[in-house]
């Protein structure tokens, strides 16, 4: 797991599902990136649809069909890294009262909402690691869609600035796509010192600079 020396104040909101839910879906999780405001939504589904068990409910992407299977499943694996076999109790600590409220809301449709920051997460769950994986997957999807922007790379650099370790996977395949975006941006207008710094941080985090020369800051 990626470790960081200080924390961005990302948030996770546990609430009823907007627009109603299907059988077995007891809640939704909305994770918000404190750096750029991007949010990522997940559904919380009970394994037993008849007798709801909130604490051990599983976490799923609410729109899995939108997650493309790209580069031999790279993105799918990246997104699953923080979610595979993950249950609600592993992410947040729920009081008996909160569990009761969620169970009752499943039957009545009543609204509820609980907000958690990094300090309120379960001891063995890193909200920052979760956000980094989601944002990185989105960058890769943008590569596939040819919609990657310099601002997205800069924002990712800001996000991982706090990390003391680099990405554990192999993102080398994507280097040329990132490099092309940066070079095109520089042709239009040279990056200022701050933006160059964050581009470098993003590239360093992805270990691009182990093999390639870093862009000057």
């Amino acid at each position: 797991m990626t470790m960081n020396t200080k924390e961005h104040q990302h948030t996770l909101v546990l609430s009823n599902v907007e627009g109603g839910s299907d059988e077995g879906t007891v809640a939704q999780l909305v994770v918000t990136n404190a750096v750029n405001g991007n949010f990522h939504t997940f559904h919380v589904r009970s394994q037993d649809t008849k007798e709801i068990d909130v604490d051990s409910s599983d976490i799923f992407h609410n729109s899995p069909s939108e997650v493309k299977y790209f580069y031999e499943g790279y993105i799918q694996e990246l997104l699953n890294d923080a979610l595979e076999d993950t249950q609600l109790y592993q992410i947040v600590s729920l009081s008996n009262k909160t569990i009761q409220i969620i169970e009752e809301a499943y039957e009545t449709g009543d609204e509820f909402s609980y907000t958690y920051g990094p300090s309120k997460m379960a001891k063995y769950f890193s909200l920052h690691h979760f956000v980094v994986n989601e944002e990185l997957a989105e960058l890769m999807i943008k590569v596939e869609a040819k919609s990657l922007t310099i601002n997205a790379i800069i924002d990712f650099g800001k996000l991982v600035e706090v990390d003391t370790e680099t990405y554990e996977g192999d993102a080398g395949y994507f280097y040329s796509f990132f490099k092309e975006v940066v070079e095109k941006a520089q042709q239009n207008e040279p990056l200022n010192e701050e933006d160059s710094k964050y581009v470098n941080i993003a590239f360093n985090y992805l270990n691009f600079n182990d093999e390639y020369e870093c862009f000057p800051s």
Side-chain angles (χ1 to χ4, degrees):
M1 177 178 291
T2 303
M3 305 299 293
N4 50 296
T5 55
K6 59 181 179 179
E7 292 180 306
H8 290 305
Q9 294 303 304
H10 309 302
T11 58
L12 180 150
V13 176
L14 174 67
S15 67
N16 52 295
V17 180
E18 294 181 2
S21 61
D22 56 6
E23 186 178 16
T25 302
V26 300
Q28 72 175 15
L29 294 173
V30 178
V31 179
T32 302
N33 178 351
V35 172
N36 59 13
N38 284 353
F39 62 90
H40 310 274
T41 305
F42 308 87
H43 281 179
V44 182
R45 289 185 55 83
S46 175
Q47 298 175 13
D48 188 336
T49 59
K50 303 303 180 184
E51 295 187 15
I52 300 302
D53 185 351
V54 172
D55 224 21
S56 62
S57 293
D58 295 312
I59 313 300
F60 295 94
H61 279 276
N62 68 323
S63 300
S65 61
E66 296 178 5
V67 179
K68 299 182 180 179
Y69 204 80
F70 177 55
Y71 189 51
E72 299 180 350
Y74 181 90
I75 293 174
Q76 194 74 35
E77 292 171 5
L78 182 66
L79 289 171
N80 284 341
D81 182 55
L83 284 177
E84 189 173 7
D85 299 323
T86 300
Q87 298 176 328
L88 188 59
Y89 79 91
Q90 296 174 297
I91 296 179
V92 293
S93 299
L94 302 175
S95 67
N96 291 335
K97 179 63 175 177
T98 299
I99 292 174
Q100 180 182 353
I101 289 173
I102 295 174
E103 288 176 343
E104 292 175 354
Y106 178 74
E107 300 294 337
T108 64
D110 290 345
E111 295 184 357
F112 62 89
S113 181
Y114 301 96
T115 300
Y116 303 84
S119 63
K120 294 182 180 179
M121 307 305 292
K123 293 180 181 178
Y124 35 77
F125 183 83
S126 167
L127 187 56
H128 178 72
H129 175 72
F130 195 73
V131 170
V132 169
N133 265 32
E134 291 299 309
E135 293 289 334
L136 181 53
E138 286 203 356
L139 290 182
M140 304 317 180
I141 291 171
K142 287 177 180 178
V143 166
E144 181 185 22
K146 295 180 170 50
S147 61
L148 182 64
T149 65
I150 187 63
N151 287 335
I153 296 174
I154 290 169
D155 280 349
F156 187 74
K158 292 177 180 178
L159 174 65
V160 298
E161 181 182 20
V162 299
D163 288 270
T164 57
E165 296 180 7
T166 59
Y167 179 54
E168 295 174 353
D170 179 9
Y173 170 83
F174 299 96
Y175 170 76
S176 62
F177 300 100
F178 279 62
K179 180 174 180 287
E180 181 181 5
V181 169
V182 175
E183 289 178 341
K184 285 184 177 179
Q186 289 176 318
Q187 288 172 5
N188 295 329
E189 182 179 354
L191 298 179
N192 61 39
E193 183 176 351
E194 182 177 20
D195 288 345
S196 293
K197 180 184 80 169
Y198 289 120
V199 167
N200 276 302
I201 290 172
F203 275 50
N204 281 322
Y205 177 82
L206 294 170
N207 299 308
F208 288 162
N209 299 312
D210 289 347
E211 300 180 38
Y212 303 98
E213 184 176 343
C214 186
F215 291 98
S217 58

